[in-house]
Short mmCIF file of all heavy atoms in Angstrom, two decimals:
data_model
loop_
_atom_site.label_atom_id
_atom_site.label_comp_id
_atom_site.label_asym_id
_atom_site.label_seq_id
_atom_site.Cartn_x
_atom_site.Cartn_y
_atom_site.Cartn_z
N HIS A 312 -14.71 -1.38 5.25
CA HIS A 312 -13.70 -2.34 5.68
C HIS A 312 -12.92 -2.91 4.48
O HIS A 312 -13.43 -2.97 3.37
CB HIS A 312 -14.34 -3.50 6.41
CG HIS A 312 -15.25 -3.08 7.52
ND1 HIS A 312 -14.78 -2.97 8.84
CD2 HIS A 312 -16.54 -2.71 7.54
CE1 HIS A 312 -15.79 -2.57 9.59
NE2 HIS A 312 -16.86 -2.39 8.85
N GLN A 316 -7.85 -12.28 1.35
CA GLN A 316 -7.85 -13.73 1.33
C GLN A 316 -6.70 -14.21 0.48
O GLN A 316 -6.71 -14.03 -0.75
CB GLN A 316 -9.19 -14.26 0.79
CG GLN A 316 -9.37 -15.73 0.84
CD GLN A 316 -10.81 -16.15 0.52
OE1 GLN A 316 -11.44 -15.58 -0.33
NE2 GLN A 316 -11.28 -17.17 1.23
N GLY A 321 -8.17 -18.68 4.29
CA GLY A 321 -9.38 -18.09 4.80
C GLY A 321 -9.38 -16.58 4.77
O GLY A 321 -8.47 -15.93 4.27
N LEU A 322 -10.47 -15.99 5.31
CA LEU A 322 -10.60 -14.54 5.31
C LEU A 322 -9.80 -13.94 6.46
O LEU A 322 -9.70 -14.51 7.53
CB LEU A 322 -12.10 -14.19 5.55
CG LEU A 322 -13.06 -14.72 4.50
CD1 LEU A 322 -14.51 -14.36 4.90
CD2 LEU A 322 -12.74 -14.12 3.11
N TYR A 324 -9.26 -10.12 8.27
CA TYR A 324 -9.56 -8.70 8.42
C TYR A 324 -8.26 -7.90 8.29
O TYR A 324 -7.23 -8.26 8.85
CB TYR A 324 -10.21 -8.47 9.84
CG TYR A 324 -9.98 -7.08 10.38
CD1 TYR A 324 -10.70 -5.99 9.91
CD2 TYR A 324 -9.06 -6.88 11.43
CE1 TYR A 324 -10.51 -4.75 10.46
CE2 TYR A 324 -8.89 -5.60 11.96
CZ TYR A 324 -9.59 -4.57 11.49
OH TYR A 324 -9.40 -3.32 12.04
N TYR A 336 -8.77 1.49 12.00
CA TYR A 336 -8.39 0.28 12.72
C TYR A 336 -7.57 -0.61 11.77
O TYR A 336 -7.87 -0.68 10.58
CB TYR A 336 -9.62 -0.51 13.17
CG TYR A 336 -10.62 0.36 13.96
CD1 TYR A 336 -11.50 1.20 13.27
CD2 TYR A 336 -10.67 0.29 15.33
CE1 TYR A 336 -12.39 1.97 13.97
CE2 TYR A 336 -11.57 1.06 16.04
CZ TYR A 336 -12.43 1.92 15.37
OH TYR A 336 -13.33 2.71 16.05
N TYR A 337 -6.59 -1.26 12.33
CA TYR A 337 -5.69 -2.09 11.49
C TYR A 337 -5.39 -3.42 12.19
O TYR A 337 -5.21 -3.48 13.40
CB TYR A 337 -4.36 -1.38 11.25
CG TYR A 337 -4.52 -0.09 10.50
CD1 TYR A 337 -4.57 1.11 11.18
CD2 TYR A 337 -4.57 -0.09 9.09
CE1 TYR A 337 -4.72 2.31 10.50
CE2 TYR A 337 -4.69 1.13 8.41
CZ TYR A 337 -4.79 2.30 9.11
OH TYR A 337 -4.93 3.48 8.42
N ASN A 339 -2.84 -6.29 13.23
CA ASN A 339 -1.46 -6.17 13.65
C ASN A 339 -0.49 -6.45 12.48
O ASN A 339 0.59 -5.88 12.39
CB ASN A 339 -1.16 -7.11 14.79
CG ASN A 339 -1.87 -6.72 16.07
OD1 ASN A 339 -2.25 -5.56 16.25
ND2 ASN A 339 -2.08 -7.66 16.96
N TYR A 372 -10.78 -7.53 -0.61
CA TYR A 372 -12.18 -7.18 -0.75
C TYR A 372 -12.47 -5.92 0.10
O TYR A 372 -11.97 -5.79 1.22
CB TYR A 372 -13.10 -8.30 -0.18
CG TYR A 372 -13.05 -9.60 -0.88
CD1 TYR A 372 -12.29 -10.66 -0.39
CD2 TYR A 372 -13.79 -9.84 -2.06
CE1 TYR A 372 -12.29 -11.89 -1.03
CE2 TYR A 372 -13.83 -11.05 -2.68
CZ TYR A 372 -13.05 -12.08 -2.15
OH TYR A 372 -13.04 -13.31 -2.78
N VAL A 380 -18.47 0.78 13.40
CA VAL A 380 -17.46 -0.13 12.86
C VAL A 380 -17.74 -1.58 13.27
O VAL A 380 -17.42 -2.52 12.54
CB VAL A 380 -16.06 0.28 13.34
CG1 VAL A 380 -15.01 -0.75 13.01
CG2 VAL A 380 -15.65 1.63 12.72
N ALA A 381 -18.37 -1.76 14.44
CA ALA A 381 -18.59 -3.11 14.95
C ALA A 381 -19.85 -3.75 14.41
O ALA A 381 -20.39 -4.68 15.02
CB ALA A 381 -18.64 -3.08 16.47
N VAL A 382 -20.34 -3.32 13.28
CA VAL A 382 -21.51 -3.89 12.61
C VAL A 382 -21.02 -4.79 11.48
O VAL A 382 -20.09 -4.40 10.73
CB VAL A 382 -22.42 -2.77 12.06
CG1 VAL A 382 -23.56 -3.39 11.24
CG2 VAL A 382 -22.98 -1.96 13.23
N PHE A 384 -20.70 -7.10 7.88
CA PHE A 384 -20.55 -6.60 6.51
C PHE A 384 -21.65 -7.15 5.63
O PHE A 384 -21.69 -8.36 5.33
CB PHE A 384 -19.19 -7.06 5.95
CG PHE A 384 -18.02 -6.84 6.90
CD1 PHE A 384 -16.88 -7.57 6.70
CD2 PHE A 384 -18.08 -5.90 7.90
CE1 PHE A 384 -15.78 -7.39 7.57
CE2 PHE A 384 -16.99 -5.71 8.79
CZ PHE A 384 -15.86 -6.47 8.59
N TRP A 387 -20.25 -6.87 -0.18
CA TRP A 387 -18.84 -7.06 -0.49
C TRP A 387 -18.63 -6.77 -1.98
O TRP A 387 -19.49 -7.04 -2.80
CB TRP A 387 -18.37 -8.47 -0.21
CG TRP A 387 -18.47 -8.90 1.22
CD1 TRP A 387 -19.59 -9.01 2.01
CD2 TRP A 387 -17.39 -9.39 2.02
NE1 TRP A 387 -19.25 -9.48 3.24
CE2 TRP A 387 -17.93 -9.72 3.28
CE3 TRP A 387 -16.03 -9.55 1.81
CZ2 TRP A 387 -17.14 -10.23 4.34
CZ3 TRP A 387 -15.23 -10.04 2.85
CH2 TRP A 387 -15.78 -10.36 4.10
N GLY A 388 -17.43 -6.24 -2.29
CA GLY A 388 -17.05 -6.20 -3.68
C GLY A 388 -16.58 -7.53 -4.18
O GLY A 388 -16.54 -8.51 -3.40
N HIS B 110 -21.40 -13.53 13.74
CA HIS B 110 -21.88 -13.39 12.38
C HIS B 110 -21.31 -14.50 11.52
O HIS B 110 -20.18 -14.97 11.75
CB HIS B 110 -21.55 -12.02 11.82
CG HIS B 110 -21.63 -10.91 12.83
ND1 HIS B 110 -22.86 -10.54 13.38
CD2 HIS B 110 -20.70 -10.14 13.41
CE1 HIS B 110 -22.66 -9.57 14.24
NE2 HIS B 110 -21.34 -9.31 14.27
N TYR B 112 -20.69 -16.04 7.43
CA TYR B 112 -20.62 -15.74 6.01
C TYR B 112 -20.48 -17.06 5.23
O TYR B 112 -19.83 -17.99 5.68
CB TYR B 112 -19.42 -14.84 5.69
CG TYR B 112 -19.48 -13.50 6.35
CD1 TYR B 112 -18.99 -13.31 7.64
CD2 TYR B 112 -20.04 -12.40 5.70
CE1 TYR B 112 -19.08 -12.07 8.24
CE2 TYR B 112 -20.10 -11.16 6.33
CZ TYR B 112 -19.63 -11.02 7.61
OH TYR B 112 -19.69 -9.79 8.18
N GLN B 114 -19.17 -18.49 1.53
CA GLN B 114 -18.38 -18.13 0.38
C GLN B 114 -18.27 -19.31 -0.60
O GLN B 114 -17.70 -20.35 -0.24
CB GLN B 114 -16.97 -17.65 0.77
CG GLN B 114 -16.17 -17.09 -0.44
CD GLN B 114 -14.78 -16.70 -0.07
OE1 GLN B 114 -14.15 -17.28 0.83
NE2 GLN B 114 -14.25 -15.68 -0.73
N GLN B 118 -16.22 -16.51 -5.54
CA GLN B 118 -17.17 -15.45 -5.27
C GLN B 118 -16.82 -14.76 -3.92
O GLN B 118 -16.06 -15.28 -3.14
CB GLN B 118 -18.60 -16.04 -5.14
CG GLN B 118 -19.11 -16.64 -6.43
CD GLN B 118 -20.53 -17.11 -6.32
OE1 GLN B 118 -21.26 -16.68 -5.44
NE2 GLN B 118 -20.96 -17.96 -7.25
N ALA B 119 -17.37 -13.59 -3.80
CA ALA B 119 -17.21 -12.86 -2.52
C ALA B 119 -18.06 -13.51 -1.44
O ALA B 119 -19.07 -14.15 -1.73
CB ALA B 119 -17.58 -11.39 -2.71
N PRO B 120 -17.69 -13.32 -0.20
CA PRO B 120 -18.52 -13.80 0.89
C PRO B 120 -19.91 -13.16 0.94
O PRO B 120 -20.07 -12.00 0.45
CB PRO B 120 -17.73 -13.45 2.14
CG PRO B 120 -16.31 -13.32 1.68
CD PRO B 120 -16.44 -12.74 0.28
N LEU B 122 -23.15 -12.53 3.74
CA LEU B 122 -23.63 -12.63 5.14
C LEU B 122 -24.89 -13.49 5.16
O LEU B 122 -25.88 -13.20 4.48
CB LEU B 122 -23.91 -11.24 5.66
CG LEU B 122 -24.36 -11.10 7.11
CD1 LEU B 122 -23.24 -11.52 8.09
CD2 LEU B 122 -24.78 -9.66 7.38
N TYR B 125 -26.49 -12.93 11.19
CA TYR B 125 -25.83 -11.90 11.95
C TYR B 125 -26.43 -11.82 13.35
O TYR B 125 -27.56 -12.29 13.59
CB TYR B 125 -25.92 -10.52 11.26
CG TYR B 125 -27.27 -9.93 11.15
CD1 TYR B 125 -27.75 -9.01 12.07
CD2 TYR B 125 -28.14 -10.30 10.12
CE1 TYR B 125 -29.00 -8.48 11.98
CE2 TYR B 125 -29.40 -9.77 10.01
CZ TYR B 125 -29.85 -8.85 10.95
OH TYR B 125 -31.11 -8.32 10.86
N TYR B 163 -17.65 -19.01 7.29
CA TYR B 163 -16.78 -18.35 8.26
C TYR B 163 -17.59 -17.68 9.35
O TYR B 163 -18.56 -17.00 9.04
CB TYR B 163 -15.93 -17.25 7.57
CG TYR B 163 -14.98 -17.79 6.49
CD1 TYR B 163 -15.40 -17.92 5.18
CD2 TYR B 163 -13.67 -18.12 6.84
CE1 TYR B 163 -14.51 -18.39 4.23
CE2 TYR B 163 -12.80 -18.62 5.88
CZ TYR B 163 -13.25 -18.76 4.58
OH TYR B 163 -12.36 -19.20 3.62
N GLN B 165 -17.51 -14.85 12.56
CA GLN B 165 -16.84 -13.55 12.74
C GLN B 165 -17.39 -12.91 14.01
O GLN B 165 -18.58 -13.00 14.30
CB GLN B 165 -17.12 -12.65 11.56
CG GLN B 165 -16.53 -11.25 11.62
CD GLN B 165 -17.24 -10.26 10.68
OE1 GLN B 165 -18.47 -10.28 10.55
NE2 GLN B 165 -16.47 -9.38 10.04
N TRP B 167 -16.62 -9.20 16.64
CA TRP B 167 -15.85 -7.98 16.92
C TRP B 167 -15.27 -8.13 18.30
O TRP B 167 -15.96 -8.38 19.30
CB TRP B 167 -16.78 -6.77 16.89
CG TRP B 167 -16.13 -5.47 17.36
CD1 TRP B 167 -16.30 -4.87 18.56
CD2 TRP B 167 -15.22 -4.69 16.61
NE1 TRP B 167 -15.56 -3.73 18.62
CE2 TRP B 167 -14.86 -3.58 17.42
CE3 TRP B 167 -14.62 -4.75 15.33
CZ2 TRP B 167 -13.98 -2.59 17.01
CZ3 TRP B 167 -13.78 -3.77 14.93
CH2 TRP B 167 -13.43 -2.68 15.76
N ASP B 172 -10.32 -3.94 19.54
CA ASP B 172 -10.89 -3.17 18.43
C ASP B 172 -10.54 -3.79 17.08
O ASP B 172 -10.13 -3.07 16.16
CB ASP B 172 -10.50 -1.69 18.50
CG ASP B 172 -11.32 -0.89 19.46
OD1 ASP B 172 -12.37 -1.42 19.91
OD2 ASP B 172 -10.93 0.22 19.76
N HIS B 173 -10.66 -5.08 16.99
CA HIS B 173 -10.38 -5.81 15.75
C HIS B 173 -11.56 -6.70 15.43
O HIS B 173 -12.20 -7.26 16.30
CB HIS B 173 -9.13 -6.67 15.91
CG HIS B 173 -7.86 -5.95 15.85
ND1 HIS B 173 -6.63 -6.55 16.12
CD2 HIS B 173 -7.56 -4.65 15.54
CE1 HIS B 173 -5.65 -5.66 15.97
NE2 HIS B 173 -6.18 -4.51 15.64
N TRP B 174 -11.77 -6.88 14.12
CA TRP B 174 -12.65 -7.94 13.67
C TRP B 174 -11.82 -9.23 13.64
O TRP B 174 -10.61 -9.22 13.32
CB TRP B 174 -13.17 -7.68 12.27
CG TRP B 174 -14.30 -6.70 12.24
CD1 TRP B 174 -14.31 -5.39 11.85
CD2 TRP B 174 -15.66 -7.01 12.61
NE1 TRP B 174 -15.56 -4.88 11.97
CE2 TRP B 174 -16.41 -5.84 12.44
CE3 TRP B 174 -16.33 -8.16 13.09
CZ2 TRP B 174 -17.79 -5.74 12.71
CZ3 TRP B 174 -17.69 -8.05 13.34
CH2 TRP B 174 -18.39 -6.89 13.16
N PHE B 176 -12.00 -13.35 12.26
CA PHE B 176 -12.66 -14.41 11.53
C PHE B 176 -12.18 -15.78 12.00
O PHE B 176 -11.02 -15.96 12.36
CB PHE B 176 -12.35 -14.30 10.03
CG PHE B 176 -13.02 -13.22 9.32
CD1 PHE B 176 -12.35 -12.00 9.05
CD2 PHE B 176 -14.33 -13.35 8.84
CE1 PHE B 176 -12.98 -10.97 8.38
CE2 PHE B 176 -14.96 -12.34 8.17
CZ PHE B 176 -14.30 -11.14 7.94
#
Side-chain angles (χ1 to χ4, degrees):
Chain A
H312 307 267
Q316 186 170 36
L322 302 175
Y324 152 76
Y336 308 80
Y337 298 94
N339 291 338
Y372 295 100
V380 170
V382 173
F384 314 158
W387 297 60
Chain B
H110 321 294
Y112 297 87
Q114 186 182 33
Q118 297 184 18
L122 182 66
Y125 66 96
Y163 296 89
Q165 180 200 39
W167 173 256
D172 278 348
H173 283 173
W174 281 105
F176 285 98

